Amino acid sequence: MTTSKSNIQSAYTLAKERYAELGVDTEKALAQLAKIAISLHCWQGDDVGGFENSGGELTGGIAATGNYPGKARTAEELRKDLDVVYSLLPGSHRLNLHAIYLESDSKVERNAIEPKHFSAWKDWAKANQHGVDFNPTCFSHPKSADGFTLAHRDEDIRQFWVEHCIASRKIGEYFGKELGTPAVTNIWVPDGYKDSPADRQSPRRLLQESLDLIIAEKIDPRYNLDAVEPKLFGLGSEAYVVGSMEFYSAYSLTRKILLTLDSGHFHPTETISDKISALLIYHDQLLLHVSRGVRWDSDHVVTFNDDTQAIANEIVRNNALERIHIGLDYFDASINRIAAWTIAARNTLRALLVALLEPQAQLRQYELDGDFSSRLALQEELKSMPFSAVWDYYCSTKNIPVGMDFMKVIKDYEKKELSKRS
Ligand code: RNT
Ligand code: ZN
């Protein structure tokens, strides 16, 4: 089934000419693509379990369904799995870590986490040239059991989570310093109500107060960038989420921090792609959690669909590759977890490539001329341009498996490694 090198090369030569006819330089597009780092979310590898060894279940209104065998049980296994994923992706990519992925011989409270608990991650990231991003874990914990954390009415509980988030920013700073690339530390809290609250504003005021305490200490943006992530609803917070889009949009803008857009966090027909151009007028930088919402779930594996393409198009059309941090966020336990990571990351990169191959000048000219028929015609023609020949060539030049070949590597690894895990 393997595609021969010469077929890849000749398909590319033809594709290059087809794109050149449209005024698109495929080599330039590939050079730009090679510079993009996607941040892989560590939590796909073990169903958002983490290594606190508390045996606690996943809470916070998110859920990983499925019981596919072979999930990582230790940080070492998770790193091993990630190595396989990175080996199947062209380019050099980042890792997005959650606080519960710390390593320690004894129990460490969330508000007492320190850089030293992440030194093995740092060594591995350094050795493999991965930048690292970070997240406080404000869920799956007794102090979040009633669904509230930073917006809790109890001051002690709020304070606990404030301390956890401050500690997390310091870990972000540590990674940034050690690795020479800033960590984006993203705060997402589950706080919300299943049913209609009597008072929608007080929790939001508390959240604002807590966040202000968290970001009070300035950290050099060369090392750490702060981000906040809104959401519309979760399991058990269907009627009300404290950290809504309006709340965080205004918060992040007034505090000059990053806003995170998760594609699964809006109304089912609402897309994040259309928000990008508007937000970039006001925000220096954004963080994306590329995901796929399906009915009640906001975290399915990213496919190569219209939504993913529209997100990639907007990043490229707004010339924002330097201003938008691209992370993935989903958790699927029903298929091989390494395949879940790889398929979605490859899809995201492929969508970015298609975006980079767009004849922007021509499309804009049609628009300025009021020739919307040609604009539509070209947009539709582009959908069947031979971008896959460019993608295959790109993978092949980077010595990355082409086509379904990456699944062979995953199947082998499953047999050799994953099947031995209970
Ligand atoms: C939850 C948010 C958040 C989490 C991770 C695990 O709805 O999307 O980003 O998925 O922090
Ligand atoms: Zn998210």
Side-chain angles (χ1 to χ4, degrees):
M1 212 158 72
T2 303
T3 319
S4 79
K5 281 247 177 209
S6 74
N7 280 348
I8 294 168
Q9 180 61 55
S10 26
Y12 174 66
T13 307
L14 288 174
K16 186 176 170 175
E17 285 169 18
R18 289 285 311 279
Y19 279 106
E21 285 163 14
L22 291 175
V24 173
D25 180 347
T26 51
E27 297 292 330
K28 192 175 150 206
L30 290 179
Q32 282 175 288
L33 184 61
K35 284 196 241 145
I36 302 176
I38 306 266
S39 195
L40 290 190
H41 54 316
C42 73
W43 52 95
Q44 165 56 41
D46 74 331
D47 314 339
V48 211
F51 306 121
E52 280 182 319
N53 299 321
S54 56
E57 50 158 351
L58 174 59
T59 66
I62 51 179
T65 47
N67 52 6
Y68 200 89
K71 80 169 168 194
R73 298 159 303 181
T74 62
E76 230 159 86
E77 286 183 350
L78 190 59
R79 284 191 282 269
K80 216 169 158 184
D81 294 356
L82 279 160
D83 286 339
V84 178
V85 181
Y86 289 114
S87 80
L88 300 173
L89 306 178
S92 175
H93 300 286
R94 303 176 64 89
L95 177 74
N96 197 2
L97 263 187
H98 239 286
I100 47 173
Y101 289 78
L102 83 175
E103 288 168 273
S104 168
D105 295 335
S106 52
K107 185 174 162 56
V108 184
E109 250 319 335
R110 295 260 176 105
N111 59 350
I113 55 169
E114 289 178 57
K116 68 174 184 208
H117 303 124
F118 295 88
S119 65
W121 284 108
K122 182 264 296 169
D123 291 342
W124 170 84
K126 211 177 236 180
N128 294 286
Q129 296 180 336
H130 302 303
V132 169
D133 300 303
F134 201 73
N135 305 261
T137 311
C138 303
F139 52 84
S140 303
H141 190 276
K143 285 195 159 61
S144 69
D146 60 3
F148 278 79
T149 61
L150 291 179
H152 207 287
R153 311 269 175 160
D154 180 310
E155 196 183 343
D156 291 344
I157 294 186
R158 266 195 333 269
Q159 183 56 29
F160 174 81
W161 292 111
V162 164
E163 286 168 15
H164 174 56
C165 290
I166 292 174
S168 294
R169 294 179 73 223
K170 300 233 160 97
I171 293 161
E173 178 186 33
Y174 159 76
F175 277 118
K177 270 190 188 157
E178 290 282 344
L179 303 174
T181 165
V184 183
T185 298
N186 175 54
I187 299 180
W188 170 72
V189 295
D191 304 31
Y193 285 122
K194 180 186 177 78
D195 234 325
S196 304
D199 174 4
R200 289 178 175 263
Q201 195 177 60
S202 300
R204 288 182 170 142
R205 286 197 185 281
L206 292 173
L207 179 56
Q208 182 205 42
E209 213 178 281
S210 296
L211 290 167
D212 281 346
L213 292 171
I214 293 165
I215 60 165
E217 189 185 321
K218 292 275 164 280
I219 297 184
D220 192 326
R222 281 180 303 161
Y223 308 131
N224 182 72
L225 299 164
D226 298 298
V228 283
E229 181 180 7
K231 190 170 182 175
L232 179 68
F233 75 94
L235 297 170
S237 59
E238 289 85 357
Y240 170 74
V241 167
V242 182
S244 59
M245 175 65 170
E246 291 70 17
F247 175 87
Y248 279 128
S249 189
Y251 186 82
S252 56
L253 201 60
T254 50
R255 272 55 173 184
K256 296 190 173 24
I257 61 172
L258 280 68
L259 178 66
T260 303
L261 298 176
D262 183 313
S263 26
H265 286 193
F266 296 87
H267 290 278
T269 58
E270 186 179 1
T271 57
I272 62 165
S273 48
D274 184 49
K275 303 180 191 304
I276 292 173
S277 56
L279 292 167
L280 283 178
I281 296 177
Y282 302 99
H283 282 269
D284 283 343
Q285 298 181 47
L286 298 171
L287 169 64
L288 301 186
H289 275 185
V290 182
S291 184
R292 178 168 53 107
V294 175
R295 306 198 190 283
W296 60 266
D297 180 40
S298 59
D299 297 289
H300 270 56
V301 178
V302 176
T303 55
F304 187 53
N305 63 7
D306 287 353
D307 277 357
T308 311
Q309 191 57 60
I311 293 167
N313 287 347
E314 285 305 309
I315 300 173
V316 172
R317 289 176 190 164
N318 287 286
N319 200 13
L321 283 164
E322 311 265 298
R323 295 167 63 194
I324 299 188
H325 305 261
I326 308 169
L328 303 179
D329 184 14
Y330 52 82
F331 13 100
D332 191 333
S334 74
I335 59 174
N336 180 306
R337 292 170 185 80
I338 292 160
W341 258 323
T342 309
I343 293 165
R346 285 174 69 111
N347 281 335
T348 306
L349 288 168
R350 191 171 14 210
L352 286 159
L353 172 62
V354 172
L356 290 163
L357 291 170
E358 194 176 74
Q360 271 198 54
Q362 177 67 78
L363 285 164
R364 283 174 190 229
Q365 194 55 52
Y366 285 143
E367 191 159 286
L368 289 175
D369 295 344
D371 186 357
F372 304 143
S373 326
S374 297
R375 181 183 65 184
L376 180 61
L378 182 53
Q379 282 168 345
E380 292 303 300
E381 283 304 308
L382 290 174
K383 290 181 182 167
S384 54
M385 281 293 285
F387 56 82
S388 66
V390 184
W391 169 252
D392 290 349
Y393 169 80
Y394 179 60
C395 291
S396 155
T397 55
K398 302 276 176 203
N399 287 316
I400 298 296
V402 170
M404 278 293 280
D405 281 2
F406 74 90
M407 278 307 296
K408 282 188 209 151
V409 177
I410 292 174
K411 291 281 180 192
D412 274 358
Y413 185 69
E414 177 164 273
K415 215 182 282 161
K416 266 192 250 138
E417 169 76 25
L418 301 181
S419 66
K420 312 236 157 71
R421 298 179 188 167
S422 51

